[in-house]
Amino acid sequence: MRRLTQHIALLSGLVIIHQAARAQQGTPGPVTTAFRADADRLSRNLLAAADDMPPAKYQFKPTPAQMSVAEVVLHLAGDSEFGCAALGAAKAPAEPKLTPADSVPKLVARLARSFAFCRTVLAKLNDSELGDKIPGYEGQTTRAAMIFELHEDWADHYSQLANYLRLNGILPPTARGAH
């Protein structure tokens, strides 16, 4: 029995050493792999929601205190670029300054470019770096915290756009099974 316990302990140690070596080599782990898949899904849904809103409704906002559709799209693009640049220790691409009054194709293209930038950066992300300190929206944070913040931001604004679509009689992408 003692010999079996020693073998189990040895095997457990080898598994831990193998996992640590994988993490040090920059191999994607379960957290960053899951986040990349989620980011792809959310970006597709956000772009579809932005695309589904008729251009004539881009200034729509349910109350004066809320952002318009155009403002949400620009906010998402900026937040995504900042968050993804921080995650990847990369420089966000230079973009022309747009306003909510710009054309819908320009606004949607801007959002699409921000998600393309994120895809490029997130492809290099791995679990071994999740504890690293990076710039955050409100000061220093960790890569792990930024992953949660970005996910929360994207999910929040998808919900917002989905509600804006419904208030205008349009079924949101996820309600149509397009997720």
Side-chain angles (χ1 to χ4, degrees):
M1 183 69 161
R2 185 174 167 174
R3 192 168 193 91
L4 177 61
T5 303
Q6 288 174 334
H7 282 136
I8 290 172
L10 178 63
L11 286 173
S12 296
L14 289 173
V15 167
I16 290 168
I17 290 169
H18 173 72
Q19 288 175 335
R22 251 185 77 195
Q24 287 177 347
Q25 293 170 356
T27 304
V31 175
T32 52
T33 298
F35 179 60
R36 268 190 293 282
D38 197 49
D40 283 344
R41 180 184 57 80
L42 282 164
S43 66
R44 278 192 314 272
N45 288 337
L46 283 160
L47 284 168
D51 241 2
D52 288 350
M53 185 62 79
K57 296 287 187 173
Y58 252 66
Q59 299 310 313
F60 171 80
K61 53 183 169 180
T63 69
Q66 290 173 286
M67 288 189 280
S68 69
V69 174
E71 290 167 329
V72 172
V73 168
L74 285 175
H75 168 79
L76 273 165
D79 271 8
S80 297
E81 285 170 354
F82 175 85
C84 290
L87 280 171
K91 186 173 175 16
E95 285 287 343
K97 178 78 173 149
L98 297 179
T99 71
D102 279 307
S103 74
V104 171
K106 280 184 180 179
L107 297 173
V108 173
R110 172 84 172 78
L111 183 60
R113 287 191 307 274
S114 75
F115 286 132
F117 169 69
C118 283
R119 254 188 313 284
T120 300
V121 169
L122 297 180
K124 300 171 189 162
L125 200 59
N126 66 71
D127 285 14
S128 69
E129 301 169 332
L130 292 178
D132 293 355
K133 296 284 185 193
I134 61 170
Y137 295 113
E138 297 176 11
Q140 286 288 97
T141 192
T142 63
R143 278 194 173 85
M146 182 58 81
I147 283 173
F148 284 105
E149 288 181 50
L150 268 174
H151 176 272
E152 183 180 310
D153 193 49
W154 292 334
D156 176 48
H157 290 302
Y158 177 74
S159 175
Q160 183 180 21
L161 290 175
N163 281 307
Y164 285 17
L165 287 166
R166 285 185 185 274
L167 288 169
N168 283 282
I170 302 165
L171 203 56
T174 52
R176 295 190 314 263
H179 51 89

